């Protein structure tokens, strides 16, 4: 049933579609099932400018209100390692968001870009091997017009490949639009 916590769920949609709120709802559901349950958020965003700092602060404030007690861990690059380190049978891990993680790999503020294929494979392996439930959040940006710039087209292609790989590794896939969920894939 779509309103239960799956072993792994990928929640994707456009910007401000309700993805993070849906993931937080999954954490609230998980925490309500048992007093021994925990929830950890792995945040991938980095505050490189004032607007991003304000956005992160708003997310932190909103999350603290909606899901009190959820631990937050910041990990912009080593996502598979963070998932492996925080996943446990009694702990739900929320990853928010894969799009920023991919941006950190392909367009780092400092240093050379990293190929996304090996980190994606490691992440998918970590999802499949996680001993506890995992909820991942990402953007669907391939529904619009084809971008004019080569670099932007390459990013849209890389994100599409990442989304397909993660969707293939998760039991449930939910598409969010206007705050409403559409289940694309259910646990077998």
């Amino acid at each position: 049933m779509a309103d239960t916590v799956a072993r792994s769920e990928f929640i994707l949609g456009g910007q401000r579609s309700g993805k993070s709120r849906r993931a937080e709802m999954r954490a609230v559901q998980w925490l309500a099932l048992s007093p021994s349950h925990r929830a950890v958020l792995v945040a991938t965003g980095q505050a490189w400018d004032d607007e991003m700092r304000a956005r992160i602060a708003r997310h932190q404030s909103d999350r603290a209100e909606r899901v009190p007690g959820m631990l937050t861990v910041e990990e912009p690059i080593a996502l598979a390692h963070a998932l492996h380190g925080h996943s446990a049978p009694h702990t739900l891990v929320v990853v928010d968001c894969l799009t920023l993680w991919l941006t950190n790999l392909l367009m780092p503020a400092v240093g050379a870009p990293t190929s996304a294929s090996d980190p994606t494979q490691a992440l998918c392996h970590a999802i499949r091997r996680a001993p506890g439930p995992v909820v991942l959040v990402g953007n669907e940006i391939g529904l619009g017009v084809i971008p004019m710039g080569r670099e932007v087209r390459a990013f849209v292609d890389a994100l599409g490949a990442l989304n397909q790989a993660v969707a293939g590794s998760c039991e449930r896939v939910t598409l969010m639009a206007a705050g409403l969920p559409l289940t694309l894939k259910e646990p077998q």
Side-chain angles (χ1 to χ4, degrees):
M1 174 158 236
D3 60 352
T4 61
V5 177
R7 189 194 68 73
S8 56
E9 180 173 4
F10 182 31
I11 301 171
L12 71 161
Q15 188 169 329
R16 304 294 298 163
S17 64
K19 303 177 305 291
S20 294
R21 189 171 294 228
R22 182 87 174 168
E24 291 168 358
M25 183 189 75
R26 293 297 191 215
V28 168
Q29 290 171 324
W30 174 254
L31 292 169
L33 291 174
S34 170
S36 66
H37 282 182
R38 295 179 8 161
V40 175
L41 172 84
V42 178
T44 63
Q46 298 183 73
W48 293 111
D49 59 37
D50 289 341
E51 187 274 334
M52 193 61 173
R53 276 188 280 284
R55 183 177 291 262
I56 288 171
R58 187 181 70 247
H59 271 275
Q60 290 169 336
S61 174
D62 291 348
R63 191 170 46 251
E65 198 172 300
R66 289 191 291 259
V67 193
M70 183 160 66
L71 174 68
T72 298
V73 175
E74 295 181 11
E75 182 46 67
I77 300 292
L79 199 46
H81 180 72
L83 187 53
H84 175 74
H86 293 285
S87 183
H90 64 282
T91 303
L92 177 135
V93 177
V94 175
V95 176
D96 197 353
C97 93
L98 295 181
T99 310
L100 290 175
W101 174 67
L102 183 65
T103 301
N104 296 337
L105 292 174
L106 298 180
M107 296 177 260
V110 179
T114 303
S115 166
S117 61
D118 288 340
T120 296
Q121 290 173 5
L123 174 62
C124 290
H125 181 73
I127 293 167
R128 290 188 299 272
R129 307 263 311 166
V134 179
V135 177
L136 303 109
V137 175
N139 289 72
E140 174 53 69
I141 64 172
L143 297 173
V145 297
I146 297 171
M148 289 178 51
R150 180 175 51 96
E151 292 86 6
V152 178
R153 284 192 303 273
F155 182 80
V156 171
D157 289 347
L159 184 59
L162 171 63
N163 286 349
Q164 289 185 48
V166 171
S169 298
C170 288
E171 287 185 351
R172 177 182 291 141
V173 179
T174 303
L175 178 66
M176 297 297 298
L180 300 172
L182 175 62
T183 302
L184 302 178
K185 178 182 175 183
E186 277 286 357
Q188 301 285 329

